[in-house]
Amino acid sequence: MWVGVFSLIGILGWGLVQTSKTRPEAGQPAPDFTVQFLDGYRWEDRTSATLDDFKGHIVVLNFWASWCVECRVEAKAFEDTWQKYADQGVIFLGVAHVDVEPRSLEYLKEFNISYPNALDYGDRISSDYEITGVPETFIIDPSGQVVYVQLGPIQEATLVQTLEQLLVQGG
Amino acid sequence: MGNREWEVGSEKWQALRVTLYVLVLAVFLGAAIPSVAQDGSEGDDSGLKKAVTANDVNKIAKRVYCPVCESTPLDVCQTQACADWRDIIRQKLEEGASEQEIFDYFSNLYGDRVLAEPPREGFSLLLWLLPLIIVPLGAVFFSRYMRNLKATAVQSVSVPDTAVPDAAASSDYLARIEKELENN
Amino acid sequence: MIADIGYFALLIAFVTAIYAAVAAWYGKSKDKMRWVESARNATIIILPLVVLSCALLVTSILRNDFSLEYVWRVSSIEMPTYLKFTSLWGGQAGSLLFWNLLLAIFTAVAMARKWHEQKELMPYALIVISMTQIFFLGLSAFVENPFTRLDVIPPNGNGLNPLLRHPGMIIHPPMLYLGFTGFIIPYTFAIAALMAGKLDDGWIRTTRRWTLVAWLFLSLGLILGGRWAYDVLGWGGYWGWDPVENASFMPWLAGTAFLHSVMIQEKRHMFKMWNMFLIILTYSLVIYGTFIVRSGVISSVHSFARSAIGPLFFAFIAIMFIFSAYWVNRRRDELASTNSLQSLLSREAAFLYNNFLILAILAVVFLFTNYPIVSELFTGEKGFVGPPVYEKALAPLFGLLVLLMGVAPLTMWYRSSVKRLGRAMRWPAIASTITVIVLFILNIRGWGALVGFWAATFATFLTLLEFWKGTRARMKRGESVWAAFSNLMARNRRRYGGYWIHMGVLIMAFGVIGVEVFQQETQLRLEKGGSLTLGRYEMVFNDINRFPGPDDLMITEATMDVYVDGRLVDTITPRTELYTRTGQPMTIPDARSTIAEDFYVLLVNWEPTSANSATFRVFLNPLINWVWGGGIIFVLGTLIAAWPDRKKQSVAARSRRVAIGAAD
């Protein structure tokens, strides 16, 4: 009986350790993922991509949702910054968390967002990044390392500053 | 002793035990089967846009859990996200989707976690099987244990006869209680 | 300043707990009683220190000292004063401090009162209880410190979570905590008995009333929690198999098994090992339950490890469990039963069947509650188990338990005969079969419900017969009905208190079957003056108003007339409350409540722009009030069983001493 009890405690303990994994912080590698872009969105003519495909580019990964009030605060800043940096090889990727497709598309239209966006199928990306709410933004360097994490809406200035730094480092 | 023939190992006891096992198994299967049977039998392919009431939506929403509201079913949760989900259910119902199709739609998009009843396949099948295994298995071990306890009784000291008011008529009842009180 | 003193008191309490553990251990190992006494005094001194700490936290809340993060979180300037008191347990850090307060009270009382009664156990009891205190005081002092300051002092606080402002929620947590901390005392004495090698029934007798009282509070907490959910959460139900609910249900189950099986040990000196196991299990589940609630490890969707509280809790449970297991193992031989089972049809066997069923329920609940963790481990995705799964798996087990509840009191110690049992059950079985046939004729369908009703009716008849047989036996001595009945209760409170508890559970069982199987609901948008029909009820939407309530509340209230068979019977006012500062909405139902059913109405949606129509959701909850009524009988029964009886107890204690003396 004791064997059973202790193995139960063991499994639970191990499970707890697994569950208490935290989000990837600055300096840690960004977990890989696959995205299917929403209708009308593409990256280099592809309808789906993995983080691995983005190697060599700076990636701004933004978790959002149409029902999220605070996301609306930062939506315009993202589109503007994207317009500014798109030709310098920076990739913006929006991932809609627990959202329904028609609403997501309405939201994207409302803010005229042109950078690639995707639904998080099976909530997998959100789980891997252990997000605790939306919006959350991860900035990933060309080697696939997280360099900046923002909980809650990001300031345009912060976004620009981080990208500038990365671009300077990169080349 | 009226219960001699019910001693462990006696024929009657064996029969009782088998009956018990069968009963327990039947009860468990009975609990599981109707729910299996009713899955996916709701479809109605009339093709036309159907009039969908709030009750139809609630019936499905009751069994969906939106991750935005912790442990609150979709029909109760008040957030915008859940309102959107309910709209989707309404829309799908209007298009003539079956209950199961809607559940599948949600679990594909957001994972099995959003369903009140995890699917009976893959890892979550374990969830359905484990109680059906653990409890009967526990029962088997338990009856073994009881038999062992009982087996040792044969060699041990015999029962004080006073404690066995076997042919207890109701007038002995008080005596029994008083007796037990004294033993306290 | 005030906060600093409060924190300082907490620190001293923590240090004192360490001192108590060390002094008790040192005193015992060197056989210096003065050190043990000093350790006892230390555990008693912790009480005023924690009281001071709590009082100063409350003072800070009353003074609107928003420089403290906790005060800012749970209070606001406008909040009514009584809520400022209750916000002591309205948030994580404060409720942990409150938990420490209750633990300190129980510890001080137990150590002071049982000092002479159980002298040999005391040094060990002090060590065990101090270990628990060190852990919880340490958590309060270093991990979840309620006196943490903010860098910038905000002008106002967030205010207490609206969900926690309901009277039910104000007393629900203290009840649960009293139950939780209460179970720590019997555990302490059990382990002390193991360590001292004093394995007679002393620890059980000493802690019998503690166990019952702890169990009473836990039951009260569960019932009040259900009532709160029904009144405030607005989903027409009372129990959702939520991890937080399960967290208090699991120790309750283990405690229930323990309460039953100790009776075998008291009567027949059997199953010492088993009782040890059950009390250790109960204690572990108490701590595990607290851990689940506090860390949000299961219910929160993604990461929870924002505070170190989770791993610490788990480590503590593991340590205490291994510690307990070590001592059980060391005393293995002494714990072995000397007496044995005479028959599989006996009172002691019945208690074991009860234990088996309760532990089976516990195992299923435990498995389902922890499923999210396990599934994440193996599939990478956090799973979820909803109420339908629990209901399917548990319904047959609960059904068997109800049957056993009726039959078990008929059995006798040592052995009973099948013939006698059969005779005693014949009429109740026939009567309940007739009842079910009548129900069927009254158009009540569904084999699950009918089987359930049969089992509950059968057990109810059997329990009532127990009361009647006892009373009649006394009446034969010439007592009047009432005198016979009350003397019967008074003569053996524990037994008949137990039967009252069974009656309470059975009445609740009727209610649960009624609501679970026969609940009806409908949702409809109504124009003013429009009406809706559900069952025999018709509801007319008369009026709707919006007005400001106390604090930052905005209330929208609808007035509905309720008709039964065309006759106006009630006017009810379901409403929504919006806490404007946080934007949190609440849906407060109102109901036409009768013993047969609740006509329960929720105001789901109303936009001021379309002032003349609103959406309502209506539930017809049959027999729901039997759940609450049964709950009250349940609690009264527990009170009857636990009520102190000083004179009789001392007599019992004396005769026990004589008995022990004779045995030596």
Side-chain angles (χ1 to χ4, degrees), chain B residues 149-150 152-154 156, chain C residues 268 270 337-342 348:
Chain B
L149 270 180
K150 183 72 176 54
T152 54
V154 181
S156 78
Chain C
R268 300 268 282 110
M270 296 169 76
S337 281
T338 41
N339 289 331
S340 51
L341 203 58
Q342 301 291 337
E348 48 270 54

Side-chain angles (χ1 to χ4, degrees), chain C residues 223 504 507-508 626-636:
Chain C
I223 296 169
I507 292 171
M508 289 172 95
W626 292 40
V627 174
W628 314 128
I632 292 169
I633 291 176
F634 182 100
V635 168
L636 290 178

Side-chain angles (χ1 to χ4, degrees), chain A residues 94-155:
Chain A
V95 172
H97 166 71
V98 189
D99 209 352
V100 294
E101 194 169 338
R103 290 275 184 286
S104 306
L105 289 170
E106 277 169 28
Y107 176 94
L108 292 171
K109 208 173 155 199
E110 182 186 339
F111 289 98
N112 284 319
I113 286 168
S114 57
Y115 56 84
N117 264 280
L119 286 182
D120 184 6
Y121 277 91
D123 211 33
R124 287 195 196 92
I125 312 177
S126 306
S127 316
D128 286 346
Y129 282 78
E130 302 284 350
I131 67 166
T132 51
V134 275
E136 263 183 41
T137 304
F138 294 78
I139 301 178
I140 301 162
D141 75 3
S143 68
Q145 293 252 318
V146 175
V147 285
Y148 183 82
V149 181
Q150 172 74 43
L151 308 183
I154 196 167
Q155 299 285 323

Side-chain angles (χ1 to χ4, degrees), chain C residues 490-513:
Chain C
R491 274 292 272 150
N492 197 347
R493 259 206 282 258
R494 213 163 154 220
R495 169 196 286 257
Y496 287 97
Y499 291 165
W500 276 116
I501 296 174
H502 283 186
M503 278 309 294
V505 174
L506 291 169
I507 292 171
M508 289 172 95
F510 283 108
V512 170
I513 299 172

Side-chain angles (χ1 to χ4, degrees), chain B residues 27 35 55 58 62 65 71 75-76 78 111-113 116-117 124 150 153 156 159 170 173 176 178 180, chain C residues 235 242 301 340-342 371 381-382 384 386-387 392 396 412-413 466 491 495 521-523 587 617:
Chain B
V27 170
S35 47
N55 288 339
N58 279 344
K62 249 180 191 300
Y65 283 71
S71 17
D75 62 330
V76 179
Q78 300 211 1
D112 290 342
R113 189 187 65 213
E117 291 193 32
S124 51
K150 183 72 176 54
S156 78
V159 197
S170 67
Y173 186 82
R176 194 181 109 209
E178 301 284 324
E180 287 184 5
Chain C
W235 48 278
D242 184 81
V301 175
S340 51
L341 203 58
Q342 301 291 337
Y371 174 72
E381 201 186 314
K382 217 164 191 171
F384 175 76
K392 276 171 195 159
M412 283 181 294
W413 294 100
E466 283 295 303
R491 274 292 272 150
R495 169 196 286 257
E521 62 162 290
T522 188
Q523 180 172 335
T587 310
R617 190 159 183 206

Side-chain angles (χ1 to χ4, degrees), chain C residues 399-416:
Chain C
L400 289 175
L401 198 60
V402 163
L403 274 183
L404 185 64
M405 201 184 283
V407 177
L410 297 178
T411 57
M412 283 181 294
W413 294 100
Y414 298 101
R415 62 172 48 137
S416 326

